[in-house]
Amino acid sequence: TTKMTTIQTVITLVATTKWHLHHMEVKNAFLQGELDEEVYMIQPPSFKSSTHPQAGCRHKKPLYTLKQAPRAWHSKITQYLHHTGFKMSKSNNSMFIQSDSKGQLYIVIYVNDLIIGGEHLAHIDHIKKLLSSQSEMKDMKDLHYFLCIEVIRTPYGIMISQ
């Protein structure tokens, strides 16, 4: 799980280095993962099989109400981030770091929200396009407010208020 200190650290890092900080929201995140285990449910009343009325329905995709849904979503995005060159933080499995010739980039995942911080706006935009090609996302652009932390850009830098 994402620790509040991780989010605060990334925001502080971005504020002190005058990097860019963006926010993306994943639409229906928990419905996008793949289940690693077999999950069954009874047939819904609107879909009763006349030939097998007692048979159960097997889920291939998670539902929001399944406890496996957050884990399935996290597994999917982790695999994709690894594929695109990110490394998972050793201290927090919801923080990912990419360091290459384009510069450094940080992604913090909190449920269905992504905070993306980095040196170069073009690099952030490129990663946002890659992520959007994998899952439907809403680009919130610059981070302004997240988990009771207000991020205000001023001519003097970034001001953080909680």
Side-chain angles (χ1 to χ4, degrees), residues 60-95:
K60 292 186 178 181
K61 294 278 190 178
L63 296 173
Y64 268 95
T65 55
L66 291 177
K67 67 179 180 180
Q68 295 90 338
R71 193 173 42 235
W73 155 244
H74 190 270
S75 177
K76 178 182 178 180
I77 190 133
T78 296
Q79 288 174 4
Y80 185 71
L81 289 172
H82 281 218
H83 174 73
T84 56
F86 281 85
K87 302 225 182 306
M88 184 186 294
S89 165
K90 292 179 183 174
S91 62
N92 188 322
N93 67 357
S94 292
M95 184 169 94

PDB file of all heavy atoms in Angstrom, residues 60-95:
ATOM      1  N   LYS A  60     -13.530 -14.072 -14.864  1.00  0.00           N
ATOM      2  CA  LYS A  60     -12.200 -13.955 -15.455  1.00  0.00           C
ATOM      3  C   LYS A  60     -11.621 -12.583 -15.153  1.00  0.00           C
ATOM      4  O   LYS A  60     -10.425 -12.393 -15.113  1.00  0.00           O
ATOM      5  CB  LYS A  60     -12.257 -14.184 -16.959  1.00  0.00           C
ATOM      6  CG  LYS A  60     -12.604 -15.624 -17.301  1.00  0.00           C
ATOM      7  CD  LYS A  60     -12.508 -15.873 -18.776  1.00  0.00           C
ATOM      8  CE  LYS A  60     -12.821 -17.336 -19.051  1.00  0.00           C
ATOM      9  NZ  LYS A  60     -12.729 -17.649 -20.444  1.00  0.00           N
ATOM     10  N   LYS A  61     -12.495 -11.620 -14.943  1.00  0.00           N
ATOM     11  CA  LYS A  61     -12.108 -10.250 -14.603  1.00  0.00           C
ATOM     12  C   LYS A  61     -12.633  -9.952 -13.204  1.00  0.00           C
ATOM     13  O   LYS A  61     -13.685 -10.445 -12.803  1.00  0.00           O
ATOM     14  CB  LYS A  61     -12.717  -9.244 -15.596  1.00  0.00           C
ATOM     15  CG  LYS A  61     -12.195  -9.363 -16.997  1.00  0.00           C
ATOM     16  CD  LYS A  61     -10.899  -8.626 -17.089  1.00  0.00           C
ATOM     17  CE  LYS A  61     -10.441  -8.501 -18.519  1.00  0.00           C
ATOM     18  NZ  LYS A  61      -9.230  -7.750 -18.616  1.00  0.00           N
ATOM     19  N   PRO A  62     -11.914  -9.101 -12.459  1.00  0.00           N
ATOM     20  CA  PRO A  62     -12.391  -8.778 -11.104  1.00  0.00           C
ATOM     21  C   PRO A  62     -13.574  -7.819 -11.117  1.00  0.00           C
ATOM     22  O   PRO A  62     -13.771  -7.071 -12.060  1.00  0.00           O
ATOM     23  CB  PRO A  62     -11.175  -8.126 -10.451  1.00  0.00           C
ATOM     24  CG  PRO A  62     -10.309  -7.690 -11.566  1.00  0.00           C
ATOM     25  CD  PRO A  62     -10.629  -8.536 -12.757  1.00  0.00           C
ATOM     26  N   LEU A  63     -14.348  -7.867 -10.062  1.00  0.00           N
ATOM     27  CA  LEU A  63     -15.402  -6.898  -9.799  1.00  0.00           C
ATOM     28  C   LEU A  63     -14.920  -6.005  -8.673  1.00  0.00           C
ATOM     29  O   LEU A  63     -14.056  -6.385  -7.882  1.00  0.00           O
ATOM     30  CB  LEU A  63     -16.685  -7.609  -9.352  1.00  0.00           C
ATOM     31  CG  LEU A  63     -17.352  -8.534 -10.357  1.00  0.00           C
ATOM     32  CD1 LEU A  63     -18.487  -9.281  -9.689  1.00  0.00           C
ATOM     33  CD2 LEU A  63     -17.865  -7.730 -11.534  1.00  0.00           C
ATOM     34  N   TYR A  64     -15.483  -4.811  -8.568  1.00  0.00           N
ATOM     35  CA  TYR A  64     -15.069  -3.890  -7.509  1.00  0.00           C
ATOM     36  C   TYR A  64     -15.234  -4.498  -6.125  1.00  0.00           C
ATOM     37  O   TYR A  64     -14.484  -4.202  -5.226  1.00  0.00           O
ATOM     38  CB  TYR A  64     -15.855  -2.577  -7.600  1.00  0.00           C
ATOM     39  CG  TYR A  64     -15.146  -1.553  -8.435  1.00  0.00           C
ATOM     40  CD1 TYR A  64     -15.437  -1.406  -9.782  1.00  0.00           C
ATOM     41  CD2 TYR A  64     -14.169  -0.730  -7.881  1.00  0.00           C
ATOM     42  CE1 TYR A  64     -14.774  -0.473 -10.553  1.00  0.00           C
ATOM     43  CE2 TYR A  64     -13.502   0.204  -8.638  1.00  0.00           C
ATOM     44  CZ  TYR A  64     -13.810   0.331  -9.980  1.00  0.00           C
ATOM     45  OH  TYR A  64     -13.151   1.256 -10.728  1.00  0.00           O
ATOM     46  N   THR A  65     -16.230  -5.334  -5.954  1.00  0.00           N
ATOM     47  CA  THR A  65     -16.505  -5.871  -4.627  1.00  0.00           C
ATOM     48  C   THR A  65     -15.583  -7.026  -4.242  1.00  0.00           C
ATOM     49  O   THR A  65     -15.572  -7.425  -3.087  1.00  0.00           O
ATOM     50  CB  THR A  65     -17.966  -6.348  -4.545  1.00  0.00           C
ATOM     51  OG1 THR A  65     -18.208  -7.276  -5.600  1.00  0.00           O
ATOM     52  CG2 THR A  65     -18.919  -5.171  -4.653  1.00  0.00           C
ATOM     53  N   LEU A  66     -14.816  -7.539  -5.171  1.00  0.00           N
ATOM     54  CA  LEU A  66     -13.904  -8.641  -4.852  1.00  0.00           C
ATOM     55  C   LEU A  66     -12.663  -8.109  -4.156  1.00  0.00           C
ATOM     56  O   LEU A  66     -12.082  -7.111  -4.574  1.00  0.00           O
ATOM     57  CB  LEU A  66     -13.467  -9.373  -6.123  1.00  0.00           C
ATOM     58  CG  LEU A  66     -14.513 -10.199  -6.856  1.00  0.00           C
ATOM     59  CD1 LEU A  66     -13.923 -10.780  -8.127  1.00  0.00           C
ATOM     60  CD2 LEU A  66     -15.024 -11.312  -5.959  1.00  0.00           C
ATOM     61  N   LYS A  67     -12.240  -8.816  -3.119  1.00  0.00           N
ATOM     62  CA  LYS A  67     -11.026  -8.393  -2.421  1.00  0.00           C
ATOM     63  C   LYS A  67      -9.792  -8.561  -3.303  1.00  0.00           C
ATOM     64  O   LYS A  67      -8.762  -7.940  -3.071  1.00  0.00           O
ATOM     65  CB  LYS A  67     -10.858  -9.150  -1.106  1.00  0.00           C
ATOM     66  CG  LYS A  67     -10.595 -10.634  -1.277  1.00  0.00           C
ATOM     67  CD  LYS A  67     -10.423 -11.325   0.047  1.00  0.00           C
ATOM     68  CE  LYS A  67     -10.170 -12.810  -0.193  1.00  0.00           C
ATOM     69  NZ  LYS A  67      -9.998 -13.531   1.033  1.00  0.00           N
ATOM     70  N   GLN A  68      -9.887  -9.377  -4.359  1.00  0.00           N
ATOM     71  CA  GLN A  68      -8.769  -9.598  -5.268  1.00  0.00           C
ATOM     72  C   GLN A  68      -8.594  -8.451  -6.270  1.00  0.00           C
ATOM     73  O   GLN A  68      -7.559  -8.343  -6.917  1.00  0.00           O
ATOM     74  CB  GLN A  68      -8.959 -10.905  -6.067  1.00  0.00           C
ATOM     75  CG  GLN A  68      -8.949 -12.147  -5.241  1.00  0.00           C
ATOM     76  CD  GLN A  68     -10.344 -12.540  -4.744  1.00  0.00           C
ATOM     77  OE1 GLN A  68     -11.255 -11.716  -4.666  1.00  0.00           O
ATOM     78  NE2 GLN A  68     -10.506 -13.795  -4.378  1.00  0.00           N
ATOM     79  N   ALA A  69      -9.603  -7.596  -6.418  1.00  0.00           N
ATOM     80  CA  ALA A  69      -9.582  -6.551  -7.450  1.00  0.00           C
ATOM     81  C   ALA A  69      -8.410  -5.578  -7.318  1.00  0.00           C
ATOM     82  O   ALA A  69      -7.704  -5.338  -8.305  1.00  0.00           O
ATOM     83  CB  ALA A  69     -10.913  -5.797  -7.473  1.00  0.00           C
ATOM     84  N   PRO A  70      -8.142  -5.004  -6.145  1.00  0.00           N
ATOM     85  CA  PRO A  70      -7.003  -4.080  -6.050  1.00  0.00           C
ATOM     86  C   PRO A  70      -5.669  -4.767  -6.360  1.00  0.00           C
ATOM     87  O   PRO A  70      -4.805  -4.212  -7.024  1.00  0.00           O
ATOM     88  CB  PRO A  70      -7.040  -3.596  -4.597  1.00  0.00           C
ATOM     89  CG  PRO A  70      -8.409  -3.868  -4.120  1.00  0.00           C
ATOM     90  CD  PRO A  70      -8.902  -5.054  -4.897  1.00  0.00           C
ATOM     91  N   ARG A  71      -5.513  -5.987  -5.886  1.00  0.00           N
ATOM     92  CA  ARG A  71      -4.273  -6.743  -6.123  1.00  0.00           C
ATOM     93  C   ARG A  71      -4.095  -7.041  -7.607  1.00  0.00           C
ATOM     94  O   ARG A  71      -2.998  -6.924  -8.152  1.00  0.00           O
ATOM     95  CB  ARG A  71      -4.315  -8.027  -5.299  1.00  0.00           C
ATOM     96  CG  ARG A  71      -3.009  -8.742  -5.207  1.00  0.00           C
ATOM     97  CD  ARG A  71      -3.025  -9.918  -4.236  1.00  0.00           C
ATOM     98  NE  ARG A  71      -4.249 -10.711  -4.332  1.00  0.00           N
ATOM     99  CZ  ARG A  71      -5.042 -10.977  -3.313  1.00  0.00           C
ATOM    100  NH1 ARG A  71      -4.778 -10.529  -2.115  1.00  0.00           N
ATOM    101  NH2 ARG A  71      -6.130 -11.706  -3.476  1.00  0.00           N
ATOM    102  N   ALA A  72      -5.194  -7.396  -8.292  1.00  0.00           N
ATOM    103  CA  ALA A  72      -5.134  -7.694  -9.731  1.00  0.00           C
ATOM    104  C   ALA A  72      -4.763  -6.437 -10.524  1.00  0.00           C
ATOM    105  O   ALA A  72      -3.944  -6.491 -11.446  1.00  0.00           O
ATOM    106  CB  ALA A  72      -6.473  -8.258 -10.206  1.00  0.00           C
ATOM    107  N   TRP A  73      -5.347  -5.295 -10.160  1.00  0.00           N
ATOM    108  CA  TRP A  73      -5.025  -4.035 -10.831  1.00  0.00           C
ATOM    109  C   TRP A  73      -3.555  -3.657 -10.603  1.00  0.00           C
ATOM    110  O   TRP A  73      -2.838  -3.300 -11.523  1.00  0.00           O
ATOM    111  CB  TRP A  73      -5.948  -2.919 -10.351  1.00  0.00           C
ATOM    112  CG  TRP A  73      -5.364  -1.553 -10.503  1.00  0.00           C
ATOM    113  CD1 TRP A  73      -5.058  -0.690  -9.506  1.00  0.00           C
ATOM    114  CD2 TRP A  73      -4.997  -0.895 -11.714  1.00  0.00           C
ATOM    115  NE1 TRP A  73      -4.520   0.457 -10.024  1.00  0.00           N
ATOM    116  CE2 TRP A  73      -4.466   0.357 -11.382  1.00  0.00           C
ATOM    117  CE3 TRP A  73      -5.062  -1.253 -13.060  1.00  0.00           C
ATOM    118  CZ2 TRP A  73      -4.009   1.261 -12.323  1.00  0.00           C
ATOM    119  CZ3 TRP A  73      -4.600  -0.345 -14.009  1.00  0.00           C
ATOM    120  CH2 TRP A  73      -4.089   0.892 -13.633  1.00  0.00           C
ATOM    121  N   HIS A  74      -3.108  -3.764  -9.352  1.00  0.00           N
ATOM    122  CA  HIS A  74      -1.719  -3.409  -9.032  1.00  0.00           C
ATOM    123  C   HIS A  74      -0.747  -4.312  -9.788  1.00  0.00           C
ATOM    124  O   HIS A  74       0.280  -3.844 -10.290  1.00  0.00           O
ATOM    125  CB  HIS A  74      -1.479  -3.489  -7.525  1.00  0.00           C
ATOM    126  CG  HIS A  74      -0.164  -2.907  -7.124  1.00  0.00           C
ATOM    127  ND1 HIS A  74       0.994  -3.643  -7.052  1.00  0.00           N
ATOM    128  CD2 HIS A  74       0.186  -1.631  -6.801  1.00  0.00           C
ATOM    129  CE1 HIS A  74       1.987  -2.863  -6.703  1.00  0.00           C
ATOM    130  NE2 HIS A  74       1.522  -1.638  -6.543  1.00  0.00           N
ATOM    131  N   SER A  75      -1.059  -5.581  -9.893  1.00  0.00           N
ATOM    132  CA  SER A  75      -0.209  -6.512 -10.630  1.00  0.00           C
ATOM    133  C   SER A  75      -0.122  -6.129 -12.104  1.00  0.00           C
ATOM    134  O   SER A  75       0.962  -6.146 -12.707  1.00  0.00           O
ATOM    135  CB  SER A  75      -0.754  -7.935 -10.481  1.00  0.00           C
ATOM    136  OG  SER A  75       0.000  -8.830 -11.237  1.00  0.00           O
ATOM    137  N   LYS A  76      -1.249  -5.754 -12.686  1.00  0.00           N
ATOM    138  CA  LYS A  76      -1.266  -5.376 -14.103  1.00  0.00           C
ATOM    139  C   LYS A  76      -0.426  -4.125 -14.357  1.00  0.00           C
ATOM    140  O   LYS A  76       0.403  -4.094 -15.267  1.00  0.00           O
ATOM    141  CB  LYS A  76      -2.701  -5.146 -14.582  1.00  0.00           C
ATOM    142  CG  LYS A  76      -2.764  -4.713 -16.038  1.00  0.00           C
ATOM    143  CD  LYS A  76      -4.171  -4.438 -16.500  1.00  0.00           C
ATOM    144  CE  LYS A  76      -4.149  -3.955 -17.948  1.00  0.00           C
ATOM    145  NZ  LYS A  76      -5.466  -3.680 -18.466  1.00  0.00           N
ATOM    146  N   ILE A  77      -0.615  -3.090 -13.550  1.00  0.00           N
ATOM    147  CA  ILE A  77       0.130  -1.850 -13.799  1.00  0.00           C
ATOM    148  C   ILE A  77       1.610  -2.032 -13.471  1.00  0.00           C
ATOM    149  O   ILE A  77       2.474  -1.481 -14.141  1.00  0.00           O
ATOM    150  CB  ILE A  77      -0.475  -0.626 -13.072  1.00  0.00           C
ATOM    151  CG1 ILE A  77       0.198   0.647 -13.575  1.00  0.00           C
ATOM    152  CG2 ILE A  77      -0.335  -0.713 -11.586  1.00  0.00           C
ATOM    153  CD1 ILE A  77      -0.689   1.750 -13.920  1.00  0.00           C
ATOM    154  N   THR A  78       1.923  -2.845 -12.462  1.00  0.00           N
ATOM    155  CA  THR A  78       3.320  -3.126 -12.128  1.00  0.00           C
ATOM    156  C   THR A  78       4.025  -3.802 -13.297  1.00  0.00           C
ATOM    157  O   THR A  78       5.142  -3.422 -13.665  1.00  0.00           O
ATOM    158  CB  THR A  78       3.404  -4.005 -10.868  1.00  0.00           C
ATOM    159  OG1 THR A  78       2.867  -3.269  -9.767  1.00  0.00           O
ATOM    160  CG2 THR A  78       4.835  -4.405 -10.554  1.00  0.00           C
ATOM    161  N   GLN A  79       3.384  -4.792 -13.891  1.00  0.00           N
ATOM    162  CA  GLN A  79       3.973  -5.477 -15.051  1.00  0.00           C
ATOM    163  C   GLN A  79       4.218  -4.499 -16.190  1.00  0.00           C
ATOM    164  O   GLN A  79       5.270  -4.527 -16.833  1.00  0.00           O
ATOM    165  CB  GLN A  79       3.070  -6.616 -15.515  1.00  0.00           C
ATOM    166  CG  GLN A  79       3.060  -7.800 -14.593  1.00  0.00           C
ATOM    167  CD  GLN A  79       2.041  -8.848 -15.032  1.00  0.00           C
ATOM    168  OE1 GLN A  79       1.398  -8.727 -16.057  1.00  0.00           O
ATOM    169  NE2 GLN A  79       1.901  -9.885 -14.218  1.00  0.00           N
ATOM    170  N   TYR A  80       3.264  -3.618 -16.435  1.00  0.00           N
ATOM    171  CA  TYR A  80       3.422  -2.664 -17.531  1.00  0.00           C
ATOM    172  C   TYR A  80       4.543  -1.668 -17.231  1.00  0.00           C
ATOM    173  O   TYR A  80       5.357  -1.354 -18.102  1.00  0.00           O
ATOM    174  CB  TYR A  80       2.113  -1.931 -17.834  1.00  0.00           C
ATOM    175  CG  TYR A  80       2.270  -1.054 -19.046  1.00  0.00           C
ATOM    176  CD1 TYR A  80       2.381  -1.632 -20.313  1.00  0.00           C
ATOM    177  CD2 TYR A  80       2.384   0.311 -18.938  1.00  0.00           C
ATOM    178  CE1 TYR A  80       2.573  -0.848 -21.440  1.00  0.00           C
ATOM    179  CE2 TYR A  80       2.574   1.111 -20.054  1.00  0.00           C
ATOM    180  CZ  TYR A  80       2.672   0.523 -21.298  1.00  0.00           C
ATOM    181  OH  TYR A  80       2.878   1.300 -22.412  1.00  0.00           O
ATOM    182  N   LEU A  81       4.607  -1.163 -16.014  1.00  0.00           N
ATOM    183  CA  LEU A  81       5.659  -0.219 -15.663  1.00  0.00           C
ATOM    184  C   LEU A  81       7.045  -0.872 -15.764  1.00  0.00           C
ATOM    185  O   LEU A  81       7.989  -0.256 -16.252  1.00  0.00           O
ATOM    186  CB  LEU A  81       5.430   0.371 -14.267  1.00  0.00           C
ATOM    187  CG  LEU A  81       4.250   1.344 -14.175  1.00  0.00           C
ATOM    188  CD1 LEU A  81       3.979   1.717 -12.715  1.00  0.00           C
ATOM    189  CD2 LEU A  81       4.481   2.580 -15.021  1.00  0.00           C
ATOM    190  N   HIS A  82       7.163  -2.123 -15.338  1.00  0.00           N
ATOM    191  CA  HIS A  82       8.437  -2.840 -15.496  1.00  0.00           C
ATOM    192  C   HIS A  82       8.797  -2.956 -16.972  1.00  0.00           C
ATOM    193  O   HIS A  82       9.954  -2.765 -17.352  1.00  0.00           O
ATOM    194  CB  HIS A  82       8.350  -4.224 -14.864  1.00  0.00           C
ATOM    195  CG  HIS A  82       8.503  -4.208 -13.390  1.00  0.00           C
ATOM    196  ND1 HIS A  82       9.173  -5.177 -12.686  1.00  0.00           N
ATOM    197  CD2 HIS A  82       8.084  -3.322 -12.442  1.00  0.00           C
ATOM    198  CE1 HIS A  82       9.148  -4.912 -11.407  1.00  0.00           C
ATOM    199  NE2 HIS A  82       8.479  -3.784 -11.232  1.00  0.00           N
ATOM    200  N   HIS A  83       7.798  -3.242 -17.801  1.00  0.00           N
ATOM    201  CA  HIS A  83       8.002  -3.373 -19.252  1.00  0.00           C
ATOM    202  C   HIS A  83       8.504  -2.062 -19.866  1.00  0.00           C
ATOM    203  O   HIS A  83       9.251  -2.080 -20.839  1.00  0.00           O
ATOM    204  CB  HIS A  83       6.687  -3.814 -19.906  1.00  0.00           C
ATOM    205  CG  HIS A  83       6.718  -3.849 -21.388  1.00  0.00           C
ATOM    206  ND1 HIS A  83       7.390  -4.821 -22.093  1.00  0.00           N
ATOM    207  CD2 HIS A  83       6.179  -3.015 -22.310  1.00  0.00           C
ATOM    208  CE1 HIS A  83       7.257  -4.584 -23.387  1.00  0.00           C
ATOM    209  NE2 HIS A  83       6.525  -3.495 -23.545  1.00  0.00           N
ATOM    210  N   THR A  84       8.088  -0.927 -19.307  1.00  0.00           N
ATOM    211  CA  THR A  84       8.494   0.367 -19.862  1.00  0.00           C
ATOM    212  C   THR A  84       9.740   0.935 -19.190  1.00  0.00           C
ATOM    213  O   THR A  84      10.080   2.096 -19.401  1.00  0.00           O
ATOM    214  CB  THR A  84       7.341   1.398 -19.777  1.00  0.00           C
ATOM    215  OG1 THR A  84       6.911   1.500 -18.428  1.00  0.00           O
ATOM    216  CG2 THR A  84       6.183   0.997 -20.661  1.00  0.00           C
ATOM    217  N   GLY A  85      10.416   0.137 -18.369  1.00  0.00           N
ATOM    218  CA  GLY A  85      11.699   0.546 -17.809  1.00  0.00           C
ATOM    219  C   GLY A  85      11.678   1.092 -16.400  1.00  0.00           C
ATOM    220  O   GLY A  85      12.692   1.600 -15.921  1.00  0.00           O
ATOM    221  N   PHE A  86      10.552   0.992 -15.713  1.00  0.00           N
ATOM    222  CA  PHE A  86      10.485   1.456 -14.334  1.00  0.00           C
ATOM    223  C   PHE A  86      10.939   0.347 -13.388  1.00  0.00           C
ATOM    224  O   PHE A  86      10.747  -0.831 -13.667  1.00  0.00           O
ATOM    225  CB  PHE A  86       9.055   1.871 -13.962  1.00  0.00           C
ATOM    226  CG  PHE A  86       8.670   3.216 -14.468  1.00  0.00           C
ATOM    227  CD1 PHE A  86       8.175   3.375 -15.756  1.00  0.00           C
ATOM    228  CD2 PHE A  86       8.800   4.339 -13.675  1.00  0.00           C
ATOM    229  CE1 PHE A  86       7.826   4.623 -16.235  1.00  0.00           C
ATOM    230  CE2 PHE A  86       8.444   5.589 -14.138  1.00  0.00           C
ATOM    231  CZ  PHE A  86       7.957   5.732 -15.430  1.00  0.00           C
ATOM    232  N   LYS A  87      11.500   0.757 -12.277  1.00  0.00           N
ATOM    233  CA  LYS A  87      11.878  -0.178 -11.225  1.00  0.00           C
ATOM    234  C   LYS A  87      11.048   0.151  -9.987  1.00  0.00           C
ATOM    235  O   LYS A  87      10.842   1.320  -9.655  1.00  0.00           O
ATOM    236  CB  LYS A  87      13.357  -0.038 -10.898  1.00  0.00           C
ATOM    237  CG  LYS A  87      14.274  -0.266 -12.089  1.00  0.00           C
ATOM    238  CD  LYS A  87      15.418  -1.141 -11.725  1.00  0.00           C
ATOM    239  CE  LYS A  87      16.386  -1.367 -12.862  1.00  0.00           C
ATOM    240  NZ  LYS A  87      15.861  -1.858 -14.085  1.00  0.00           N
ATOM    241  N   MET A  88      10.583  -0.889  -9.318  1.00  0.00           N
ATOM    242  CA  MET A  88       9.795  -0.704  -8.102  1.00  0.00           C
ATOM    243  C   MET A  88      10.719  -0.300  -6.960  1.00  0.00           C
ATOM    244  O   MET A  88      11.805  -0.856  -6.817  1.00  0.00           O
ATOM    245  CB  MET A  88       9.057  -1.997  -7.736  1.00  0.00           C
ATOM    246  CG  MET A  88       8.130  -1.854  -6.538  1.00  0.00           C
ATOM    247  SD  MET A  88       7.396  -3.414  -6.022  1.00  0.00           S
ATOM    248  CE  MET A  88       6.370  -3.803  -7.423  1.00  0.00           C
ATOM    249  N   SER A  89      10.282   0.651  -6.168  1.00  0.00           N
ATOM    250  CA  SER A  89      11.033   1.070  -4.996  1.00  0.00           C
ATOM    251  C   SER A  89      11.165  -0.101  -4.026  1.00  0.00           C
ATOM    252  O   SER A  89      10.228  -0.886  -3.860  1.00  0.00           O
ATOM    253  CB  SER A  89      10.302   2.227  -4.313  1.00  0.00           C
ATOM    254  OG  SER A  89      10.798   2.444  -3.022  1.00  0.00           O
ATOM    255  N   LYS A  90      12.309  -0.201  -3.383  1.00  0.00           N
ATOM    256  CA  LYS A  90      12.510  -1.271  -2.400  1.00  0.00           C
ATOM    257  C   LYS A  90      11.753  -0.995  -1.111  1.00  0.00           C
ATOM    258  O   LYS A  90      11.438  -1.909  -0.367  1.00  0.00           O
ATOM    259  CB  LYS A  90      14.001  -1.437  -2.112  1.00  0.00           C
ATOM    260  CG  LYS A  90      14.756  -1.985  -3.291  1.00  0.00           C
ATOM    261  CD  LYS A  90      16.226  -2.114  -3.010  1.00  0.00           C
ATOM    262  CE  LYS A  90      16.917  -2.610  -4.274  1.00  0.00           C
ATOM    263  NZ  LYS A  90      18.363  -2.639  -4.141  1.00  0.00           N
ATOM    264  N   SER A  91      11.430   0.275  -0.860  1.00  0.00           N
ATOM    265  CA  SER A  91      10.753   0.631   0.384  1.00  0.00           C
ATOM    266  C   SER A  91       9.233   0.701   0.263  1.00  0.00           C
ATOM    267  O   SER A  91       8.536   0.697   1.261  1.00  0.00           O
ATOM    268  CB  SER A  91      11.273   1.974   0.906  1.00  0.00           C
ATOM    269  OG  SER A  91      10.999   2.988  -0.037  1.00  0.00           O
ATOM    270  N   ASN A  92       8.727   0.772  -0.989  1.00  0.00           N
ATOM    271  CA  ASN A  92       7.279   0.901  -1.170  1.00  0.00           C
ATOM    272  C   ASN A  92       6.897   0.332  -2.532  1.00  0.00           C
ATOM    273  O   ASN A  92       7.346   0.832  -3.560  1.00  0.00           O
ATOM    274  CB  ASN A  92       6.869   2.372  -1.063  1.00  0.00           C
ATOM    275  CG  ASN A  92       5.373   2.558  -1.042  1.00  0.00           C
ATOM    276  OD1 ASN A  92       4.638   1.855  -1.732  1.00  0.00           O
ATOM    277  ND2 ASN A  92       4.911   3.502  -0.262  1.00  0.00           N
ATOM    278  N   ASN A  93       6.054  -0.687  -2.539  1.00  0.00           N
ATOM    279  CA  ASN A  93       5.707  -1.341  -3.807  1.00  0.00           C
ATOM    280  C   ASN A  93       4.713  -0.554  -4.649  1.00  0.00           C
ATOM    281  O   ASN A  93       4.268  -1.028  -5.681  1.00  0.00           O
ATOM    282  CB  ASN A  93       5.206  -2.769  -3.570  1.00  0.00           C
ATOM    283  CG  ASN A  93       3.885  -2.818  -2.836  1.00  0.00           C
ATOM    284  OD1 ASN A  93       3.334  -1.803  -2.438  1.00  0.00           O
ATOM    285  ND2 ASN A  93       3.369  -4.018  -2.653  1.00  0.00           N
ATOM    286  N   SER A  94       4.375   0.654  -4.234  1.00  0.00           N
ATOM    287  CA  SER A  94       3.506   1.512  -5.035  1.00  0.00           C
ATOM    288  C   SER A  94       4.246   2.707  -5.620  1.00  0.00           C
ATOM    289  O   SER A  94       3.642   3.601  -6.189  1.00  0.00           O
ATOM    290  CB  SER A  94       2.330   2.009  -4.188  1.00  0.00           C
ATOM    291  OG  SER A  94       1.487   0.929  -3.865  1.00  0.00           O
ATOM    292  N   MET A  95       5.578   2.713  -5.478  1.00  0.00           N
ATOM    293  CA  MET A  95       6.384   3.784  -6.062  1.00  0.00           C
ATOM    294  C   MET A  95       7.341   3.173  -7.081  1.00  0.00           C
ATOM    295  O   MET A  95       7.992   2.170  -6.813  1.00  0.00           O
ATOM    296  CB  MET A  95       7.179   4.531  -5.000  1.00  0.00           C
ATOM    297  CG  MET A  95       7.940   5.706  -5.603  1.00  0.00           C
ATOM    298  SD  MET A  95       8.625   6.804  -4.371  1.00  0.00           S
ATOM    299  CE  MET A  95      10.259   6.137  -4.231  1.00  0.00           C
TER     300      MET A  95
END
